[in-house]
C-alpha cells in the first residue's frame, strides 16, 4: 500500500497495489497431454457429426490457450480512491458496482477482493490482495459500497479454473 496521493479525476488514492492481469498457472507435461487428447477427441467428434463450427471453436480455443501461456501477464495498478476504483487504465465509479466482498482464508491461501457490477453482463472483478491488510480496505469500501456478507467462499468458476489450471 502506498500513501495517499491526489489524482484530479479519480480523487485521493486511499489504497494502491499491483496485480497481474490474470493468474498464470504452472502446467505439467501431463496437463498438456490430457489437453491435447481432449482437443483431438473434440475435433474427431466435430468431424463425425459434421459440426465444423465446433471444430473451428476447438482450434481457436487451443490457440488462445497456447498463446496465453507463452506470455507473462501484464501487471496492473489497482487504486481505491474516494471517487471509485482504478484498475490499470480503467476507472470505475462506485455507482458501477452493486457490492463488494472480501474473502480472507489464510489457511487455504485466499485473500481476494470481489467487486460485483450493477450490470449483469459485466463479469465480477476479482482482485488478489497479496500482502495488503483486508480490514482497512474493507472499512474504506464500506463508505462507498454495500458489503456482500453472504459470499464466504470464492466463486465456483474460479475454483474450477484453478483446478483445471485455465
Amino acid at each position: 500500500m502506498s500513501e495517499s496521493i491526489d489524482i484530479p479525476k479519480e480523487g485521493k488514492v486511499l489504497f494502491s497495489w499491483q496485480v497481474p492481469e490474470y493468474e498464470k498457472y504452472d502446467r505439467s507435461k501431463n496437463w498438456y497431454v490430457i489437453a491435447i487428447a481432449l482437443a483431438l477427441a473434440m475435433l474427431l467428434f466435430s468431424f463425425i457429426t459434421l459440426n465444423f463450427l465446433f471444430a473451428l471453436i476447438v482450434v481457436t480455443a487451443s490457440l488462445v490457450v497456447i498463446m496465453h501461456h507463452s506470455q507473462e501477464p501484464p501487471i496492473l495498478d489497482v487504486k481505491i480512491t474516494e471517487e471509485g476504483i482504478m484498475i490499470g487504465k480503467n476507472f470505475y465509479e462506485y455507482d458501477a458496482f452493486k457490492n463488494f466482498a472480501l474473502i480472507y482464508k489464510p489457511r487455504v491461501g485466499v485473500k481476494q477482493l470481489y467487486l460485483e457490477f450493477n450490470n449483469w453482463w459485466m463479469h465480477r472483478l476479482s482482485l488478489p490482495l497479496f500482502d495488503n491488510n483486508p480490514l482497512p480496505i474493507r472499512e474504506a469500501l464500506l463508505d462507498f459500497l454495500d458489503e456482500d456478507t453472504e459470499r464466504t467462499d470464492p466463486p465456483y468458476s474460479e475454483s474450477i479454473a484453478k483446478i483445471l489450471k485455465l
Side-chain angles (χ1 to χ4, degrees):
M1 285 187 282
S2 65
E3 295 182 25
S4 298
I5 57 173
D6 286 320
I7 298 176
K9 178 184 169 190
E10 293 83 13
K12 183 178 178 183
V13 175
L14 305 173
F15 297 95
S16 68
W17 69 97
Q18 293 184 320
V19 298
E21 187 173 9
Y22 54 87
E23 191 169 351
K24 185 173 180 181
Y25 298 101
D26 290 327
R27 297 177 180 143
S28 67
K29 192 182 228 184
N30 288 340
W31 186 94
Y32 285 102
V33 169
I34 292 169
I36 290 168
L38 284 173
L40 289 174
M42 287 187 286
L43 282 173
L44 179 64
F45 174 78
S46 68
F47 286 119
I48 290 171
T49 60
L50 300 176
N51 189 345
F52 301 113
L53 180 59
F54 182 59
L56 180 65
I57 291 170
V58 170
V59 170
T60 303
S62 299
L63 290 174
V64 167
V65 168
I66 291 167
M67 289 187 318
H68 198 258
H69 183 69
S70 67
Q71 56 187 330
E72 290 299 315
I75 301 299
L76 303 176
D77 291 319
V78 175
K79 295 176 183 163
I80 297 177
T81 73
E82 293 175 331
E83 300 298 324
I85 298 176
M86 185 155 208
I87 302 168
K89 295 180 181 180
N90 298 318
F91 180 75
Y92 304 97
E93 293 182 359
Y94 287 114
D95 294 350
F97 299 108
K98 180 172 28 174
N99 57 37
F100 78 94
L102 273 167
I103 299 179
Y104 179 53
K105 295 188 173 191
R107 290 184 186 180
V108 258
V110 175
K111 195 175 181 182
Q112 293 282 120
L113 169 62
Y114 295 97
L115 296 158
E116 198 76 40
F117 283 99
N118 281 322
N119 299 326
W120 61 269
W121 63 85
M122 293 185 73
H123 197 285
R124 107 189 115 256
L125 291 175
S126 173
L127 302 168
L129 293 175
F130 298 122
D131 293 332
N132 292 307
N133 184 344
L135 295 177
I137 293 173
R138 178 184 176 269
E139 291 299 319
L141 287 173
L142 282 172
D143 291 338
F144 308 106
L145 293 170
D146 292 330
E147 183 177 16
D148 179 2
T149 55
E150 292 180 17
R151 182 182 297 276
T152 57
D153 291 306
Y156 290 122
S157 59
E158 270 189 28
S159 301
I160 291 169
K162 191 172 220 160
I163 290 168
L164 297 177
K165 297 184 179 183
L166 296 175

